[in-house]
Amino acid sequence: MLLLTGATGLVGSAVLRRLTAAQVPVRCLVRDPRRLGPERVRVQIALGDLADPPSFRNALRGVTTVVHLAAAIRDQPRASIEELNGIATWRMVQAAEAAGVRRFVFFSALSASAHDRTRFLRAKALAEQAVLASDLEHVVVAPSIVYAPGDVFMTLLSRLALAPVVPVSGSGRARYQPIWAEDVARCVTGLLDEQSPQVRYELAGPETLDYTQITTLLLRAAGRPRRLIHVPTPIVSRALRATEAILKSKAPATWDEAELMEVSMVTPNGTADARLLGVDPEPMGRVLGL
């Protein structure tokens, strides 16, 4: 039995489709089974979330492999970014060891560092340390920015593009190697076939683009090319913090999310690790139909 967290997310939903198509026995840790769509009748369901340690301890019964994709890039009503990404992963590793799990696949991020400016990447670094220090057979997957046509970021940009200009936080010069969610899913499922020769894989697409270039590309794909206006970081920070204070969890964007777009996520290895897993990542423009 394989336990999958984050099964309703961008990468998790793609991984789940591949697992069920291959008839792999899967149990999904979810808060709302309805978000699994048609896949919910093909899997075992464990109700719970990362803020509730007893729920994932129960979900680990009889599990041999954990694929831990769940993450949070903003604070939730029940827990913070640090709790949901760092502490929850540490607790899950401990629970997996106690439950006799053999293998633990963890979804991190390029540039995760204990000294990073962003809370999310600092929490991911803490989680990585917990996974790598465990007695479990473990693998860390660290992608650059992951995208898919029609994802949340593209949807938000489409809404912003109703105006004649689209704001971009800061200089827009942070660099990424964007990788398609389906390519990441192929890499993750490829790790499950046999014992991995590496303990950490850095997944990147074939292009290095800055945030401004990515935004321009996504707007073209949405059929709404617009002029971009760069907004100074202090103004963005104050505006988003004020919006979040008023709207709480309903805020359309938070400063923690926007700040991630000012941190480069690149690897000198390029697509090498993805190719080791039998995946040749697609260029972003081709995936978006440009």
Side-chain angles (χ1 to χ4, degrees):
M1 177 63 67
L2 181 149
L3 177 65
L4 177 64
T5 75
T8 60
L10 192 62
V11 174
S13 58
V15 169
L16 182 58
R17 288 194 300 271
R18 291 180 175 275
L19 292 175
T20 55
Q23 298 185 329
V24 175
V26 180
R27 181 181 298 152
C28 296
L29 179 66
V30 292
R31 285 176 293 180
D32 183 359
R34 293 172 296 182
R35 295 185 60 201
L36 291 170
E39 301 298 333
R40 67 183 179 275
V41 299
R42 303 183 180 97
V43 301
Q44 290 187 15
I45 293 173
L47 294 177
D49 61 48
L50 299 182
D52 181 18
S55 70
F56 56 73
R57 285 198 290 267
N58 292 332
L60 286 164
R61 291 175 182 169
V63 167
T64 57
T65 300
V66 173
V67 178
H68 182 31
L69 306 181
I73 58 174
R74 62 164 67 182
D75 292 327
Q76 302 296 318
R78 294 181 59 192
S80 68
I81 288 173
E82 291 80 7
E83 291 171 309
L84 293 169
N85 295 289
I87 297 173
T89 301
W90 173 68
R91 286 173 173 162
M92 183 168 285
V93 166
Q94 288 191 317
E97 289 176 331
V101 170
R102 180 177 63 85
R103 197 169 198 209
F104 198 101
V105 178
F106 173 61
F107 200 68
S108 185
L110 277 180
S111 299
S113 163
H115 305 291
D116 193 81
R117 62 183 280 186
T118 67
R119 296 170 60 201
F120 175 76
L121 290 175
R122 291 198 302 269
K124 279 293 187 182
L126 175 64
E128 273 198 45
Q129 291 172 15
V131 173
L132 295 174
S134 75
D135 293 328
L136 301 168
E137 181 184 321
H138 49 257
V139 181
V140 172
V141 179
S144 184
I145 190 170
V146 180
Y147 70 94
D151 65 22
V152 174
F153 185 51
M154 284 191 70
T155 301
L156 176 61
L157 276 180
S158 294
R159 292 172 182 168
L160 290 173
L162 294 174
V165 296
V166 171
V168 172
S169 175
S171 68
R173 293 175 184 166
R175 297 161 61 244
Y176 306 91
Q177 293 161 318
I179 183 166
W180 185 26
E182 292 291 340
D183 285 335
V184 176
R186 290 170 61 201
C187 290
V188 171
T189 52
L191 283 168
L192 305 177
D193 294 337
E194 56 188 37
Q195 187 169 356
S196 171
Q198 296 183 190
V199 296
R200 193 174 194 273
Y201 290 84
E202 297 186 334
L203 303 183
E207 305 159 302
T208 300
L209 305 171
D210 64 29
Y211 181 47
T212 299
Q213 291 171 318
I214 291 173
T215 303
T216 300
L217 205 59
L218 293 176
L219 289 170
R220 283 178 53 206
R224 293 177 177 173
R226 293 290 187 273
R227 185 169 68 88
L228 305 182
I229 179 170
H230 292 272
V231 182
T233 297
I235 295 176
V236 175
S237 175
R238 286 194 291 269
L240 290 180
R241 290 181 193 277
T243 301
E244 190 175 5
I246 296 169
L247 299 179
K248 307 297 183 184
S249 61
K250 295 182 179 179
T254 69
W255 169 240
D256 290 303
E257 293 169 331
E259 191 176 26
L260 282 169
M261 297 296 99
E262 298 191 12
V263 178
S264 293
M265 297 172 68
V266 296
T267 171
N269 298 329
T271 60
D273 283 1
R275 289 180 176 176
L276 276 177
L277 296 170
V279 178
D280 189 7
E282 295 278 357
M284 190 174 190
R286 185 181 301 167
V287 173
L288 298 177
L290 298 175

